Amino acid sequence: MTESQGTYEQPHSYSAPVNPEWPPPPPYQPAVAAPEPRRKRTRGPIGLLAAVAIVAAAVGGGTAYAFQELTGKDTVATAGSTTPVVPSSKKGDVAAIAAAVSPSVVEINATLQNGSATGSGVIITSNGEIITNNHVVSGATSVKVRTSDGKSYTAEVVGTDSSKDLALIKLKGASGLKPAALGNSSGVQVGDTVVAIGSPEGLTGTVTSGIVSALNRDVTVPTDENQGQNPDGEGQWPFQFGGREFNGDTGSSTTTYKAIQTDAPINPGNSGGALIDASGRVIGINSAMYSSASSSSSDAGSIGLGFAIPIDTVKSDLAKLRAGSDS
């Protein structure tokens, strides 16, 4: 039989036509299933957040804050004992800690009926929730806040808890702020390096350092907003410790809490500021300090006896404060 070019007369062979779209399988070979098309990698919000979470966990610092900004939720930035805010190579470096945490600490100026009070506060959400001491804002008719970059805001008192000397305030019209990472005070040990940041005597962003001197100190402070308020804004706050009174009369209405004692120099105006561990996590809110004399004396100031409310106490009280408790 003569074979002409371009014809296909052989019954037992198969040649595919040129550029087929879907060629049939050879007649004498078993059909092979075509491989499934590759699935596209998920690029939606869930996949993106999962990828960011992995990267952030590897990097370490600012994990909770990064996740918060991406999801748009104003959640408190917490950090576990293995999540440093400063690089591990800079652990304990006061300059590195100050650079990382100072943007999260603010100066608070409260106007009282009989004067004013100056204190500090710690930003805990990017939209302007701030933890401070109750005695800083107690009885205030208005509250002004200045951030580390010099911006000023008006704030409202959301909730107070005089039994723990804590208060939550909220800035009006704030966004994109840097919240501090809240650590775990249960792991703090005597001798640990700490850094204090606040606004003593209105000197915004003052940084000092020291160690944890003792734990679980019973500190007694007033609960009545009129007790111990200093109308001239010096920020002294009376408290009792070891059966003795310091910085004035605490009065008859008082409460006692367990405090972290530190020798990091803190002075009037530091109240409500941050006590920070070597990795840059907030472990306490500075609340009381002993001054050997009145602030007008030449020897006034810190003598290495300062007290801070453990951050675990703050975290356990946060829901109550957010609910608008006024106690």
Side-chain angles (χ1 to χ4, degrees):
M1 177 168 30
T2 304
E3 180 179 357
S4 299
Q5 184 177 3
T7 63
Y8 298 86
E9 298 180 356
Q10 297 185 27
H12 302 300
S13 64
Y14 172 78
S15 296
V18 178
N19 299 325
E21 290 186 7
W22 297 99
Y28 300 110
Q29 295 183 10
V32 178
E36 293 184 8
R38 292 182 62 185
R39 296 181 179 178
K40 288 186 177 182
R41 173 179 285 180
T42 303
R43 303 301 294 176
I46 296 177
L48 176 59
L49 290 176
V52 171
I54 293 173
V55 173
V59 172
T63 303
Y65 177 66
F67 186 80
Q68 167 188 315
E69 289 299 309
L70 284 170
T71 58
K73 296 179 180 178
D74 289 300
T75 54
V76 177
T78 59
S81 58
T82 60
T83 308
V85 176
V86 297
S88 56
S89 62
K90 295 288 187 178
K91 183 176 180 179
D93 186 314
V94 176
I97 295 169
V101 186
S102 288
S104 304
V105 181
V106 301
E107 177 186 316
I108 299 174
N109 291 283
T111 300
L112 311 172
Q113 290 184 348
N114 59 345
S116 64
T118 300
S120 306
V122 178
I123 299 171
I124 61 170
T125 63
S126 63
N127 68 343
E129 283 188 328
I130 293 173
I131 284 289
T132 186
N133 287 141
N134 174 61
H135 74 258
V136 172
V137 297
S138 179
T141 57
S142 68
V143 179
K144 300 290 185 181
V145 171
R146 185 169 63 174
T147 54
S148 64
D149 58 3
K151 293 182 179 179
S152 296
Y153 297 88
T154 299
E156 61 180 356
V157 178
V158 177
T160 62
D161 186 350
S162 59
S163 67
K164 297 180 176 66
D165 196 16
L166 291 172
L168 178 70
I169 65 175
K170 175 73 164 55
L171 303 186
K172 296 180 179 179
S175 63
L177 302 180
K178 182 180 179 181
L182 307 185
N184 298 310
S185 51
S186 59
V188 175
Q189 297 181 348
V190 174
D192 283 352
T193 298
V194 289
V195 172
I197 302 179
S199 300
E201 307 294 354
L203 300 174
T204 305
T206 297
V207 178
T208 57
S209 64
I211 63 168
V212 172
S213 305
L215 298 171
N216 299 316
R217 293 298 203 195
D218 287 325
V219 174
T220 300
V221 297
T223 57
D224 190 318
E225 67 183 40
N226 295 317
Q227 293 173 220
Q229 281 283 15
N230 197 328
D232 56 11
E234 292 172 357
Q236 292 279 33
W237 186 240
F239 68 96
Q240 297 176 12
F241 173 71
R244 298 176 58 195
E245 290 190 346
F246 301 92
N247 302 341
D249 184 6
T250 57
S252 58
S253 179
T254 61
T255 185
T256 301
Y257 58 82
K258 299 289 186 180
I260 299 171
Q261 182 181 330
T262 178
D263 71 348
I266 53 179
N267 292 285
N270 271 111
S271 291
L275 187 68
I276 308 152
D277 70 9
S279 296
R281 300 162 301 200
V282 178
I283 57 168
I285 300 297
N286 298 321
S287 58
M289 67 290 301
Y290 169 64
S291 180
S292 61
S294 66
S295 60
S296 60
S297 173
S298 61
D299 62 350
S302 172
I303 60 170
L305 287 176
F307 301 91
I309 301 166
I311 203 64
D312 289 357
T313 300
V314 177
K315 291 189 287 186
S316 66
D317 205 37
L318 191 54
K320 178 181 178 181
L321 294 172
R322 279 176 164 165
S325 174
D326 187 9
S327 60

